[in-house]
Structures are given as C-alpha cells and as structure tokens.
Amino acid sequence: MTDSDAARAATEITAEPITEGTGRGEVLRSPVPISFYGAVEPDTGEFIEDGHPLEGENIAGKVLVFPRGKGSTVGSYVLYGLANNGCAPAAIVNEETETIVATGAILGEIPCLDSPEMDLETLEDGETVEVDADAGVIRRQ
C-alpha cells in the first residue's frame, strides 16, 4: 500500500450504494439494529424506544450508522414520514441494509450505503462525515 493509498483509506471508506444522493452530518451510531416503527417519533426525529442505546437522541440531520433494521414494514413509512417532516437522518450507513430500511430510504430520498469496507465501529459518534451514495463512499471531514 502506498502512502497515498493509506491516506485515502483513513479519509474515505468504500461501501455499496442502496440509494442515490449525498448527505453530511455528525455520526450517530447504534451498536444494535433499529426498528423505526415505535422507536422513532416521526414528527420530531426523537428516538423513543425504551432501553435502546439511542433512547432520547434525535436522528434529524445525523448520519445514522447501525448494523441493520428490524421489525415491522411500517418502518419504511416512518422513514418516509421523517423525510416529509424534515426530521430524517442526513444519511444511513448499515452493515446490511434489509428491505425495510432500503424501501424507507428510497421513499424518503435518504442517501444510504451498506457493506462498508471497514467495521462500523470506526465511525465514531459526533464525527462529521459525508455519505456520497452516488460514488459509494463515506468521507471523513
């Protein structure tokens, strides 16, 4: 690996595009899957699921990083509702984007990537990143 390759690896993470677009914001990372239905208030973006690591956090404008979605297909419409209410995440990054999250990201026009070349733990809470779903990269700012 050349020095320029190492520098790029530190600032860019390659991933598979699920949707199109770009989003920039602070990372908000969950170590566990998310069910948007019943977990996120669609009018505010507040995470309301009791006992979830993100309980009390707001996902609006954040780069939401989590392993995968779970739960009801209504979760797709919660993501769509968040987008319509201006409370959607700026982007989503998953280890594996399952159908519920993919559909919600498509409907809500939320940039979404999965299968990043690095572990999700390398993206730290509060770190600012740009998710470029058109290019399939996450850029550290």
Side-chain angles (χ1 to χ4, degrees):
M1 179 183 282
T2 68
D3 287 344
S4 63
D5 289 339
R8 181 173 174 234
T11 59
E12 282 193 358
I13 301 168
T14 303
E16 293 296 320
I18 299 299
T19 62
E20 299 175 335
T22 60
R24 183 177 184 274
E26 289 184 2
V27 169
L28 181 61
R29 188 168 55 84
S30 171
V32 298
I34 293 175
S35 170
F36 288 91
Y37 179 61
V40 179
E41 174 54 54
D43 294 328
T44 65
E46 183 179 352
F47 212 94
I48 58 173
E49 182 181 342
D50 288 338
H52 193 281
L54 297 185
E55 182 182 2
E57 297 284 347
N58 195 299
I59 67 171
K62 304 285 185 173
V63 174
L64 190 57
V65 178
F66 58 104
R68 67 195 51 77
K70 65 175 185 174
S72 171
T73 57
V74 177
S76 298
Y77 294 103
V78 172
L79 277 169
Y80 177 61
L82 286 162
N84 284 337
N85 294 327
C87 300
I92 294 172
V93 178
N94 297 131
E95 285 176 4
E96 179 184 352
T97 305
E98 44 58 67
T99 307
I100 295 166
V101 172
T103 301
I106 291 166
L107 290 171
E109 298 179 353
I110 302 166
C112 182
L113 295 174
D114 87 342
S115 303
E117 67 183 348
M118 299 173 82
D119 289 336
L120 293 182
E121 291 80 22
T122 64
L123 297 171
E124 297 182 23
D125 276 335
E127 158 181 25
T128 300
V129 298
E130 177 185 61
V131 174
D132 185 342
D134 297 325
V137 295
I138 303 157
R139 294 184 185 96
R140 291 190 152 102
Q141 303 293 297

